[in-house]
């Protein structure tokens, strides 16, 4: 007699339906909790400016953190979830920044339009790079993207359109026609961050996200199971570049000035990658921790000047030695252990089930 | 004119080649994309500058001392940073060398300042005529040094116990271990060799590009581009790639304008990687990193 129950047939025994039901409901609860925690986080961030003693520069600094978080989220799509390591995301950052800055300078567009255009342009360049680097993987990909970052740097330094080291100065920022100050900018970047985070969460829990992860874990196996490798690789590149491009637009408008002095270097590329790796590139909360680290360490150690680089390097190495999957993983560990325990308790009380305890997966923080 | 461009391209290319050899050696023995390779050379250049300027040391004694220091630096990095995570994913290894890069960069900026400094030994511009082409003595000396070092490394890898052990580790670390080769010590030796090459590069390139914490960034990337020509695995491929890059960027500098000098190398790598991802002279082996 054929068994039709495919999931549990593997274990060779059938679990009571009630156990499966309760495990399912528990997982649904965890997903709900993820949502609630996420919303709470953003409500707290949105309410932060009400606190007494908050000044304009703090909002700017916080916006800078958010910019790095968004950029690192872009990297994490490619590096963390699809397994293609990019050392060249500064190029996409520059693409977004220059697109918006040039359109604002010549056509006086609104910042909201700039965000859309920047994302589209950066995404288009990402798509082209995805095509160019189609056959690369591993270390070769890292070096190729590094070459791309340098290439962009040379172009913005030398092509007259980008005004080289003199840079482009912009007027005050307008969002939907309203002039926005420090706090306005903070809310705009927070809004973009929220949208991007929700987008990534939905993407990862969709078929596309699963295809990305399948490609990361084994390209051959994924292809054999029907994942269109070329299509999803290019898609990952495009989405990743577009998100980093959004960060670039914000980065151009935060100081209303961009020049090849900053974007002609590879420092942005390196910093963004470090933010993604330190936080944990395969976790939704990873870029949050990483962005905070990359911006706040130099900020607090400003008086130490170059010595802050040394500390940054030391911390990076320590993190890699003691928490190779990222600080966010370390912070989220108690929560995950608690959930694992809960799940196991339910399973034990309800009788044996098949191995369904994949709740400690990399995305659930 | 053309011959001259090619010749001075070869001179720069020979220094890229030394960097590329170090990059390939470290990568194929330890799976590490060593982003700190350039900064070993940068530290070497600073030490050389201090020895020459402040202590008035002899040039050759300086080279010997600097190379020793850089080898020590390589060994220390291996022991302290790389060994604890030797078994980790290659991305972690690369990020760790990025940490070393930050540390060395910060140290140099902190101790010696961010500005660009002239190197006390002037680059010898005396022209020499070779087969109709004119090349400066300094460039010629660099070619000579690079050739000598290249031959020494060839001899080391082909004919000495440690060199052969090193190649065994490259081929298959597990089998090498079973055959009684002390793999850990060989890995350390690999990093020492990277330091040695960096020391020479630092001293030889300093008179041309001057000394500053960020002096080696571009050179390192070109070293990597060259290494990719050899599929990150083959030393002859890397050397040929480095010489090609040196010549190509010199020709671009001569005929298109100096702005496009740096862009050439990157255009080359993008084209190469798009057309032949396994490298020009690449070996299909070991691509599953």
């Amino acid at each position: 007699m054929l068994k039709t129950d495919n999931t549990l047939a593997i274990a060779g025994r059938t679990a009571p339906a009630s156990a499966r039901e309760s495990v399912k409901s528990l997982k649904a609860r965890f997903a709900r909790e993820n949502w609630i925690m996420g919303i709470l986080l953003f409500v707290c961030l949105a309410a932060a400016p009400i606190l007494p003693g908050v000044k304009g520069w703090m909002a700017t600094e916080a916006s800078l953190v958010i910019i790095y978080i968004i950029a690192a989220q872009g990297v994490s799509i490619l590096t963390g979830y699809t397994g293609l390591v990019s050392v060249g995301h500064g190029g996409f950052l520059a693409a977004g920044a220059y697109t918006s800055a040039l359109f604002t300078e010549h056509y006086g567009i609104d910042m909201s339009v700039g965000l859309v255009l920047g994302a589209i342009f950066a995404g288009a360049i990402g798509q082209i790079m995805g095509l160019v680097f189609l056959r690369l993987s591993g270390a070769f990909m890292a070096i190729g993207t590094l070459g791309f970052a340098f290439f962009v740097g040379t172009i913005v330094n030398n092509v007259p359109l980008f005004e080289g080291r003199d840079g482009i100065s912009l007027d005050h920022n307008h969002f939907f026609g309203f002039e926005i100050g420090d706090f306005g900018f903070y809310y705009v970047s927070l809004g973009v961050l929220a949208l991007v985070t929700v987008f990534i969460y939905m993407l990862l829990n969709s078929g596309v996200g699963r295809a990305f992860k399948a490609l990361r874990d084994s390209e051959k196996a994924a292809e054999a199971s029907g994942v269109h490798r070329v299509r999803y690789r290019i898609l990952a590149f495009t989405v990743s570049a577009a998100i980093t491009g959004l960060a670039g637009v914000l980065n151009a408008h935060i100081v209303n000035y961009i020049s090849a002095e900053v974007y002609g270097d590879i420092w942005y590329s390196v910093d963004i990658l470090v933010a993604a790796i330190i936080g944990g590139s395969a976790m939704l909360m990873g870029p949050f921790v990483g962005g905070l680290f990359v911006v706040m360490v130099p900020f607090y150690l400003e008086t130490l000047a170059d010595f802050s680089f040394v500390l940054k390097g030391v911390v990076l190495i320590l993190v890699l030695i003691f928490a190779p999957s990222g600080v966010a993983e370390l912070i989220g560990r108690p929560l995950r252990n608690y959930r694992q325990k809960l799940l196991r308790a339910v399973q034990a009380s309800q009788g044996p089930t098949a191995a369904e305890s994949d709740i400690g997966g990399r995305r659930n923080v | 004119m053309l011959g001259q461009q090619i010749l001075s391209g070869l001179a720069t290319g020979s220094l890229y080649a030394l960097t590329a050899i170090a990059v390939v050696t470290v990568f194929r023995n330890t799976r590490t994309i060593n982003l700190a390779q350039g900064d070993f050379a940068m530290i070497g250049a600073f030490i050389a500058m201090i020895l020459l300027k402040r202590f008035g040391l002899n040039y050759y004694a300086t080279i010997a001392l600097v190379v020793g220091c850089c080898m020590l630096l390589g060994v220390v990095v291996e022991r302290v940073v790389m060994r604890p995570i030797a078994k980790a994913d290659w991305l972690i290894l690369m990020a760790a060398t990025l940490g070393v890069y930050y540390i060395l960069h910060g140290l140099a900026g902190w101790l010696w300042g961010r500005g660009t400094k002239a190197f006390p030994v002037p680059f010898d511009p005396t022209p020499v005529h070779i087969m109709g082409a004119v090349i400066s003595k300094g460039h010629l000396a660099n070619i000579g040094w690079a050739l000598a070092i290249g031959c020494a490394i060839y001899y080391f890898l082909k004919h000495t116990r440690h060199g052969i052990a090193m190649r065994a580790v490259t081929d298959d670390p597990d089998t090498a271990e079973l055959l009684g080769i002390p793999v850990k010590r060989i890995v350390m030796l690999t990093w020492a060799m990277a330091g040695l090459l960096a020391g020479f590069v630092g001293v030889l390139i300093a008179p041309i590009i001057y000394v500053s914490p960020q002096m080696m960034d571009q050179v390192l990337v070109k070293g990597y581009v060259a290494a990719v020509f050899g599929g990150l695995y083959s030393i002859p491929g890397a050397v040929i790639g480095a010489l090609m890059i040196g010549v190509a960027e010199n020709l671009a500098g001569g005929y298109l304008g100096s702005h496009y000098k740096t862009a050439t190398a990157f255009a080359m790598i993008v084209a190469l990687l798009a057309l032949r991802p396994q490298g020009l002279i690449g070996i299909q082996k070991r691509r599953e990193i």
Side-chain angles (χ1 to χ4, degrees), chain A residues 132-158:
Chain A
V132 169
F133 294 139
L134 199 57
R135 295 202 281 165
L136 297 189
S137 62
F140 290 82
M141 180 64 108
I143 296 168
T145 47
L146 186 67
F148 163 69
F150 264 97
F151 195 69
V152 171
T154 326
I155 286 175
V156 295
N157 257 316
N158 294 318

Side-chain angles (χ1 to χ4, degrees), chain A residues 206-217:
Chain A
S206 73
V208 178
R210 282 192 290 277
F212 286 173
K213 286 182 211 162
L215 280 175
R216 171 191 68 195
D217 294 338

Side-chain angles (χ1 to χ4, degrees), chain B residues 18-19 21-22 25 37 41 67 149 153 192-202:
Chain B
L18 292 186
T19 310
I21 292 173
T25 318
Q37 178 66 32
V67 167
I149 297 162
I153 284 180
M193 197 163 123
L196 174 132
L197 288 162
F200 278 113
V201 171

